[in-house]
Amino acid sequence: MSRSARRPGYGGGTLTSRKERREIAKLIHDKSGRLLFTKEMKREYTLLMPQMLPVTFTMMKKIFELYGYTIDMLTTNHRGIVETGLKYVHNDTCYPALLVIGQLLEAINSGKYDKHKIGLLISQTGGGCRASNYIHLLRKALEKAGIPYIPVVSVNLSGLEKNPGFGLSVPVIRRLVASMLYGDLIVWLSNQCKPYEIEQGAAEELITRHTDEITTLFDKGKGLKKSEMRQYMEQIAASFAQIALSEKRGKPRVGIVGEIYIKYAPLGNNGLERFLLDEGCEPVVPGLTDFMIFKINNRAVDVDLYRGNRLKKMVARVFQRYIEGMQRVMIDAVKTQPKFRPMGSFSDLQKLIKGYLGYGNKMGEGWLLTAEMLELIHTGAKNIVCTQPFGCLPNHVVGKGMIRRLKDDYPDSNIVAIDYDPGATKINQENRIKLMISNADYQ
């Protein structure tokens, strides 16, 4: 066998196929050696996308498909993903990274895909959190698995990595932002219906219907202007208001906060929302919109605290005002239906956090996590699960580290910090949550 046919690291061992060697030779790298996702790949490759928020990410997947990408969103959820993650990621890294990389590697090795025709889609915030390094951990894992020829595509608004075959144009960003708001609205309303619906599954049917309708609107260029969003969001609120609910209300409201992935992803929190519903609770989950505004706001705060580019601050402020304006439309839509409690605004969170943490506390979820707990307490959801993923030091500081202060100020608050890591058992997590529920304040 020729020397070139024994190139290590591709396909998990030896390359014997001329076709395989020709395919690898076509791959393009940038000056740093990073494998690029090209325009040709966009036409031929399937991008694997981890799921975090089931409703919102379903819409985001369809948006990418509208722009010519082939996307497969991964919804697998079992213990084997953790084992795969431990195989390819150091066990001392953050738990969300281990899960995401384990899920992607498991999908690659499932036999469902042609390894030479897939790419991996992963988000990067660009902040100081380890999440910005997931992409590098993923590439190391691919190399360790002998498949470094699979391109990894970064989804970010920070200009971190660019690829010829993937980009976030203004129309794409506009639709992604809108899908985030529509997703938050749908989840917020459905969580107030599910615990009390007379016909089980009625809320889920509306979720499916609206996610399909919204992406159809996006395809036609509709549902993006404020006036259109107001119209469609009011229609969505009205449709959920039509669901027949039990007259016997007052189940304990349980808020969910924590590191963003563990807070939202069923894979990360072992189906926490479903568990709370099964335990006779009403889950209250702050939306993704506040987190995104928080991340944008941080860019402006950086300039205020440490100086820097004033133009950067101005752009951040404009983008923040744009999303906050649409957030107000969403809140007003919920208010049109008296049977629903509206969510709070980002400006409300900024007011609540004063006296607790400064705006410069922004690693991970930063001051936002504590502010979300304060908002839950102030709005009657005094029972809170604070999800604590292993390896997330900022989360432990602004989450578990602030619980004592919150309990001192609000003695009737009922907060439990639950650890999520490779060694934590689901039964222990659920038993601790059940203990918290047994002490829950019924509304």
Side-chain angles (χ1 to χ4, degrees), residues 9-12 105 108-109 115 141-151:
Y10 289 89
L105 266 292
I108 292 168
N109 293 322
K115 294 181 182 180
L142 291 172
E143 196 147 338
K144 185 176 181 180
I147 45 177
Y149 51 82
I150 294 178

Side-chain angles (χ1 to χ4, degrees), residues 45 65 79-80 113 140 200 234 249 265 267 311 346 361 365 416:
Y45 279 46
E65 290 173 341
R79 178 67 192 181
Y113 308 98
K140 286 182 69 175
Q200 292 297 309
E234 288 180 1
R249 309 290 286 274
L267 172 61
L311 178 60
F346 181 77
N361 192 319
E365 283 62 46
V416 61

Side-chain angles (χ1 to χ4, degrees), residues 83-146:
E83 301 302 329
T84 302
L86 287 169
K87 182 178 179 182
Y88 294 106
V89 181
H90 194 282
N91 65 351
D92 207 24
T93 196
C94 59
Y95 188 49
L98 186 145
L99 288 176
V100 169
I101 293 170
Q103 187 180 46
L104 288 167
L105 266 292
E106 187 196 55
I108 292 168
N109 293 322
S110 67
K112 182 179 177 181
Y113 308 98
D114 178 350
K115 294 181 182 180
H116 293 278
K117 294 295 179 182
I118 57 172
L120 309 180
L121 203 62
I122 192 166
S123 62
Q124 275 186 294
T125 62
C129 177
R130 290 185 181 187
S132 293
N133 297 310
Y134 284 10
I135 196 165
H136 308 295
L137 292 171
L138 178 55
R139 289 193 176 112
K140 286 182 69 175
L142 291 172
E143 196 147 338
K144 185 176 181 180

Side-chain angles (χ1 to χ4, degrees), residues 47-242:
L47 287 170
L48 306 186
M49 169 182 168
Q51 183 199 76
M52 187 171 73
L53 296 93
V55 176
T56 302
F57 272 46
T58 296
M59 284 189 282
M60 289 182 173
K61 169 185 179 292
K62 293 180 179 180
I63 290 168
F64 284 127
E65 290 173 341
L66 292 177
Y67 285 86
Y69 299 97
T70 302
I71 306 285
D72 196 353
M73 187 169 67
L74 306 180
T75 59
T76 46
N77 188 347
H78 54 82
R79 178 67 192 181
I81 292 171
V82 176
E83 301 302 329
T84 302
L86 287 169
K87 182 178 179 182
Y88 294 106
V89 181
H90 194 282
N91 65 351
D92 207 24
T93 196
C94 59
Y95 188 49
L98 186 145
L99 288 176
V100 169
I101 293 170
Q103 187 180 46
L104 288 167
L105 266 292
E106 187 196 55
I108 292 168
N109 293 322
S110 67
K112 182 179 177 181
Y113 308 98
D114 178 350
K115 294 181 182 180
H116 293 278
K117 294 295 179 182
I118 57 172
L120 309 180
L121 203 62
I122 192 166
S123 62
Q124 275 186 294
T125 62
C129 177
R130 290 185 181 187
S132 293
N133 297 310
Y134 284 10
I135 196 165
H136 308 295
L137 292 171
L138 178 55
R139 289 193 176 112
K140 286 182 69 175
L142 291 172
E143 196 147 338
K144 185 176 181 180
I147 45 177
Y149 51 82
I150 294 178
V152 181
V153 181
S154 169
V155 182
N156 71 84
L157 297 175
S158 305
L160 293 176
E161 290 189 0
K162 297 179 180 178
N163 290 277
F166 184 87
L168 294 177
S169 63
V170 172
V172 174
I173 293 173
R174 198 176 173 201
R175 284 161 174 76
L176 291 175
V177 169
S179 70
M180 173 184 71
L181 286 143
Y182 282 112
D184 280 355
L185 175 68
I186 291 169
V187 172
W188 185 261
L189 295 172
S190 64
N191 276 344
Q192 292 186 53
C193 292
K194 286 179 181 178
Y196 309 105
E197 58 186 5
I198 294 173
E199 182 185 343
Q200 292 297 309
E204 283 295 337
E205 286 182 15
L206 277 184
I207 290 172
T208 302
R209 191 186 96 192
H210 287 308
T211 52
D212 290 340
E213 287 176 349
I214 289 165
T215 48
T216 301
L217 287 173
F218 290 165
D219 191 23
K220 298 176 181 178
K222 296 182 179 180
L224 300 168
K225 297 178 182 177
K226 270 190 184 181
S227 57
E228 294 175 337
M229 289 188 75
R230 183 174 290 105
Q231 175 190 347
Y232 292 120
M233 284 185 169
E234 288 180 1
Q235 290 176 2
I236 291 169
S239 68
F240 277 98
Q242 294 299 313

Side-chain angles (χ1 to χ4, degrees), residues 216-329:
T216 301
L217 287 173
F218 290 165
D219 191 23
K220 298 176 181 178
K222 296 182 179 180
L224 300 168
K225 297 178 182 177
K226 270 190 184 181
S227 57
E228 294 175 337
M229 289 188 75
R230 183 174 290 105
Q231 175 190 347
Y232 292 120
M233 284 185 169
E234 288 180 1
Q235 290 176 2
I236 291 169
S239 68
F240 277 98
Q242 294 299 313
I243 295 177
L245 304 179
S246 169
E247 292 183 6
K248 187 179 179 182
R249 309 290 286 274
K251 292 185 177 183
R253 297 180 204 157
V254 180
I256 302 175
V257 300
E259 187 274 335
I260 187 169
Y261 182 82
I262 302 297
K263 170 184 173 182
Y264 291 125
L267 172 61
N269 60 35
N270 291 325
L272 180 55
E273 284 186 58
R274 184 70 261 169
F275 173 74
L276 291 175
L277 286 168
D278 291 342
E279 290 298 312
C281 300
E282 178 186 333
V284 184
V285 190
L288 182 63
T289 302
D290 285 324
F291 178 82
M292 292 306 298
I293 298 174
F294 168 73
K295 286 298 179 184
I296 296 165
N297 177 257
N298 285 342
R299 302 294 191 269
V301 170
D302 281 348
V303 178
D304 291 336
L305 294 177
Y306 312 115
R307 299 183 182 178
N309 191 325
R310 293 286 170 181
L311 178 60
K312 172 185 172 183
K313 176 182 175 180
M314 185 182 73
V315 172
R317 291 295 190 201
V318 169
F319 196 20
Q320 180 178 335
R321 284 195 295 269
Y322 170 69
I323 300 180
E324 283 186 301
M326 292 193 293
Q327 184 184 48
R328 285 192 292 271
V329 170

